[in-house]
Amino acid sequence: MLINKPFFQFGLVVLTVLALPFFLRSGIMASEILIYGMVVAASNLLLGYTGLLSFGQGIFFGTGSYLAGIVLTRTGVPVGLMLPMAAVLGTVIATLVGGLSIRRQGVYFVMLTLAFSQLFYFLAYTFSDLTGGDNGLLDVPRPMLNGEQLVDPWSYYAYVGVCFVLVFAAMLLVTQSTFGRTLIAVRENEERAAAIGFPVRVFKIAAFAISGAVTAFAGALHAMLIGVAPLSSIEYHTSEIILVMTIIGGSSSLYASVLGASFYLLMADTLSSIWPRWLLLLGLVLVVVALFLQKGLWGLVEKIYALLTHNRIPPEVEPSDLGTDTTAKGE
Amino acid sequence: MTQTASTTDALVTKGLGVSYNKFVALADVDLNIRENSVHSIIGPNGAGKTTLFHALTGRVRPSSGKITLGGRDITNLSDNERVRRGIARSFQVTSLFPDLSVHENLRLAAQGRTPWQALAMWRRAESNHEAMATVDEMLARLSLTRVATRAAGELAHGQQRRLEVGMAMAARPRVILMDEPTSGMGIDDIETMKDLIQGLASDHTVLFIEHNMGIVMNISDTVTVLRLGRKLVEGPPAMVRDDPEVKKAYLGNMITGDIA
Ligand SMILES: Nc1ncnc2c1ncn2[C@@H]1O[C@H](COP(=O)(O)OP(=O)(O)OP(=O)(O)O)[C@@H](O)[C@H]1O
Ligand SMILES: [Mg+2]
């Protein structure tokens, strides 16, 4: 399908960055959408591409957030160096968490990621000298550009926008590579993937590593956006939100994740201002998605696109063609 | 029957045994699979044939015994390491990537021989020309070229079974293991499969499990009969067919046609 082709997806990504300022009044909100777009895409790499439901994404997000807080408030390291550091630390921790969790399968795998999520929350809470405990780390500065700090939300939005486009391009490349195609094979039939020679565990850990790198990178951007590295970044609740966004968006393409993140954040923003019990509505949305829209919002887009272009899986073998194929007999 | 079968052994097992918890599914199996021979494994349902394949491919850990491939001990190697050493298999119950195209199924199988290359996150899948050439060759050999772009799960049963065998062939293994390649096939498909298996012996060592005695007796160099996890008889087809023990083992389950 054309809309799932990498160049089209990349076009959508660029378009999103350019269009958000025209539709949203808050630069903070727009930046948050891009940041979560990356985070959810990273979660999608695990869920949609590899078939791994990770409840541990908040760990990596919090890791990036704390790294930004610690490095930017206590050392003179510039943002340009801090961001790669966040990605590296995210890789290391995700390799650890992923490597241990994938030793079990199915429900036990999910439970392990959940357990790690709790563990890291308590670690952050306990080591308050490093993390600020309940208060988090305050006064995380925004990056400097040409000697000026990006205080204005929309100028920081531009900064995040560039990061977003670059990260997305890299992730699209990864999903198109032999590596990405192998991940899909693992999701489709893990037993067969192992039987044809792939060390499945290594591929799963590598998927975690990339996911962790992107998530931590985005976590660092988020800390600079809100000026705080809060304890809530590493809470189990963050992992949950990331998963909810991933599922709402759908997992048949990477851009689905941007859709999921935007939908969630915009809905939360609009609803919470008119009704304090808005989470109830979110619950309803999830029920609807789980019951009727299992491919998420992107699945809906795919359906609409197919209707518009009459692109209903074209039969590639004509019935007459089958008749001449001796193997089709006896079925 | 193949005349090319040499006298060296490709795959050897000594005292091979597999237990599932306390249940002994395979015990004390000694096998010598000659290089480039066609060797079939037969036996009643539950005899341990598939279990033997699991042990040979590293899917299950043997509880006793030793496996050597080309003289080298592979008993403790993982399943994917054994593929790199030259063992590939097809499954009794078709196991494909159903949503992926036939072409992609074979490409993955061809790539599986050099899996570390596939960790390259920047390299396009199609840049592995060797694998791409293998895919085209397999498609032609399996007469699947016309359905190359179809999802594997949409194929007719006979085509799926051929693709299943193709997944093993695409690894260009030294020893190819096929678990009931003809199961559930119609007459015409069986004949095609028989020719395919026979043709494999020119550049592979072929080990296959089969219930169709027509094929077994027709194309095997050696037949091994398993019963209750143990080797009952072994020898050339004519000898095995006439063995009274074998006839007893198959009682009520006569060795004619498709028993599955
Ligand atoms: N994972 C398992 N756990 C426990 N028992 C098993 C397992 N797999 C197979 N068995 C048992 O081991 C015995 C041998 O099974 P196996 O599948 O090897 O037989 P087979 O010779 O391939 O039979 P068939 O002709 O029906 O395919 C059977 O009794 C079976 O029930
Ligand atoms: Mg079997």
Side-chain angles (χ1 to χ4, degrees):
Chain A
M1 200 176 272
L2 174 73
I3 55 172
N4 287 338
K5 293 260 186 291
F7 65 87
F8 197 92
Q9 294 260 310
F10 185 72
L12 286 176
V13 161
V14 174
L15 200 69
T16 305
V17 174
L18 296 179
L20 280 183
F22 293 101
F23 291 100
L24 296 176
R25 244 181 302 148
S26 155
I28 303 271
M29 184 60 178
S31 306
E32 200 156 38
I33 287 178
L34 297 190
I35 289 171
Y36 272 96
M38 286 184 252
V39 169
V40 177
S43 157
N44 192 356
L45 187 73
L46 290 178
L47 183 64
Y49 286 81
T50 325
L52 295 169
L53 184 102
S54 159
F55 260 106
Q57 299 305 99
I59 302 171
F60 318 137
F61 190 76
T63 298
S65 170
Y66 279 130
L67 185 101
I70 293 165
V71 167
L72 296 181
T73 59
R74 297 180 194 173
T75 71
V77 175
V79 173
L81 198 62
M82 180 279 290
L83 284 173
M85 280 167 68
V88 170
L89 190 63
T91 304
V92 171
I93 292 186
T95 304
L96 212 80
V97 169
L100 289 169
S101 301
I102 58 142
R103 300 182 78 83
R104 290 289 171 272
Q105 303 217 326
V107 179
Y108 298 99
F109 161 78
V110 178
M111 290 311 288
L112 275 169
T113 62
L114 197 66
F116 276 115
S117 181
Q118 296 286 1
L119 182 77
F120 274 87
Y121 167 74
F122 281 108
L123 279 179
Y125 186 76
T126 310
F127 291 95
S128 51
D129 287 348
L130 203 61
T131 62
D134 255 337
N135 302 322
L137 299 168
L138 306 178
D139 300 321
V140 182
R142 295 233 179 107
M144 307 280 284
L145 213 65
N146 302 328
E148 269 194 70
Q149 202 166 26
L150 303 174
V151 187
D152 173 51
W154 285 110
S155 29
Y156 185 60
Y157 173 82
Y159 188 91
V160 173
V162 171
C163 293
F164 176 77
V165 169
L166 291 178
V167 165
F168 237 88
M171 288 190 74
L172 282 170
L173 213 66
V174 167
T175 54
Q176 294 301 309
S177 68
T178 46
F179 173 73
R181 302 260 287 264
T182 310
L183 292 186
I184 294 175
V186 169
R187 178 202 69 197
E188 278 270 297
N189 186 347
E190 185 172 340
E191 179 187 82
R192 183 43 119 166
I196 56 176
F198 291 105
V200 169
R201 274 192 191 177
V202 176
F203 280 82
K204 285 183 177 175
I205 293 173
F208 255 103
I210 300 170
S211 187
V214 171
T215 310
F217 179 85
L221 286 177
H222 194 254
M224 294 190 286
L225 174 71
I226 59 174
V228 194
L231 183 62
S232 68
S233 279
I234 204 161
E235 246 175 8
Y236 154 76
H237 185 57
T238 302
S239 298
E240 186 191 326
I241 290 175
I242 294 170
L243 263 184
V244 168
M245 289 176 178
T246 314
I247 290 166
I248 289 181
S251 50
S252 51
S253 82
L254 277 186
Y255 190 77
S257 302
V258 182
L259 220 54
S262 319
F263 182 83
Y264 183 98
L265 291 171
L266 290 175
M267 211 176 84
D269 190 53
T270 329
L271 293 179
S272 62
S273 61
I274 46 178
W275 192 35
R277 304 225 184 285
W278 67 278
L279 275 170
L280 196 75
L281 281 177
L282 180 74
L284 275 177
V285 169
L286 264 181
V287 169
V288 169
V289 169
L291 282 179
F292 308 109
L293 263 184
Q294 277 160 9
K295 297 185 87 189
L297 291 175
W298 188 253
L300 195 65
V301 173
E302 282 177 334
K303 254 187 216 155
I304 294 168
Y305 175 81
L307 274 179
L308 289 177
T309 58
H310 301 287
N311 190 356
R312 269 168 245 132
I313 313 156
E316 267 157 76
V317 176
E318 298 301 316
S320 60
D321 215 11
L322 271 172
T324 56
D325 189 344
T326 52
T327 58
K329 281 190 236 158
E331 296 305 319
Chain B
M1 235 172 278
T2 46
Q3 286 80 32
T4 48
S6 71
T7 48
T8 51
D9 290 327
L11 190 64
V12 176
T13 72
K14 272 256 169 310
L16 191 63
V18 173
S19 302
Y20 295 117
N21 297 318
K22 284 210 175 107
F23 177 72
V24 181
L26 202 68
D28 227 4
V29 172
D30 294 343
L31 282 177
N32 296 278
I33 317 293
R34 265 175 302 121
E35 191 96 51
N36 288 89
S37 68
V38 176
H39 193 130
S40 54
I41 309 280
I42 64 170
N45 292 118
K49 305 180 294 295
T50 298
T51 301
L52 170 67
F53 270 25
H54 285 342
L56 293 175
T57 55
R59 172 85 184 279
V60 301
R61 293 240 157 235
S63 42
S64 61
K66 208 172 117 173
I67 308 165
T68 54
L69 176 72
R72 287 206 282 183
D73 191 344
I74 57 162
T75 319
N76 294 314
L77 294 187
S78 69
D79 50 359
N80 62 78
E81 281 172 302
R82 290 186 204 194
V83 175
R84 265 160 273 157
R85 295 291 181 88
I87 295 186
R89 78 178 291 183
S90 73
F91 289 90
Q92 179 172 359
V93 179
T94 309
S95 175
L96 303 168
F97 303 112
D99 289 346
L100 307 185
S101 73
V102 172
H103 188 283
E104 179 68 354
N105 270 266
L106 289 168
R107 187 198 64 79
L108 284 159
Q111 180 70 60
R113 226 171 46 130
T114 51
W116 302 113
Q117 257 184 29
L119 273 179
M121 293 164 192
W122 53 90
R123 199 180 297 144
R124 276 167 47 83
E126 285 74 16
S127 67
N128 184 344
H129 299 295
E130 204 188 323
M132 297 302 276
T134 303
V135 174
D136 288 336
E137 186 194 325
M138 294 306 146
L139 286 171
R141 267 175 93 173
L142 301 161
S143 340
L144 291 174
T145 310
R146 223 180 347 219
V147 291
T149 56
R150 294 260 302 269
E154 291 172 9
L155 298 187
H157 179 77
Q159 293 173 318
Q160 287 197 6
R161 288 308 290 168
R162 265 184 288 144
L163 179 56
E164 175 68 37
V165 170
M167 298 290 278
M169 288 161 60
R172 299 196 179 283
R174 183 169 173 184
V175 183
I176 187 165
L177 279 65
M178 288 172 282
D179 197 342
E180 298 192 26
T182 65
S183 78
M185 277 187 166
I187 300 281
D188 294 338
D189 285 341
I190 289 182
E191 206 50 39
T192 323
M193 184 57 82
K194 187 181 115 188
D195 295 341
L196 184 70
I197 298 170
Q198 209 162 13
L200 287 175
S202 57
D203 36 25
H204 304 271
T205 299
V206 179
L207 183 61
F208 76 112
I209 297 171
E210 189 52 69
H211 277 305
N212 183 314
M213 287 307 143
I215 296 188
V216 170
M217 297 304 162
N218 227 302
I219 67 174
S220 311
D221 295 304
T222 311
V223 180
T224 298
V225 187
L226 286 184
R227 190 189 55 177
L228 300 172
R230 288 173 185 274
K231 214 164 96 172
L232 186 65
V233 182
E234 185 175 83
M239 185 200 114
V240 169
R241 185 173 32 209
D242 300 333
D243 192 286
E245 280 289 317
V246 177
K247 286 191 174 153
K248 230 190 328 177
Y250 271 98
L251 214 61
N253 221 355
M254 281 315 293
I255 356 179
T256 49
D258 198 7
I259 312 178

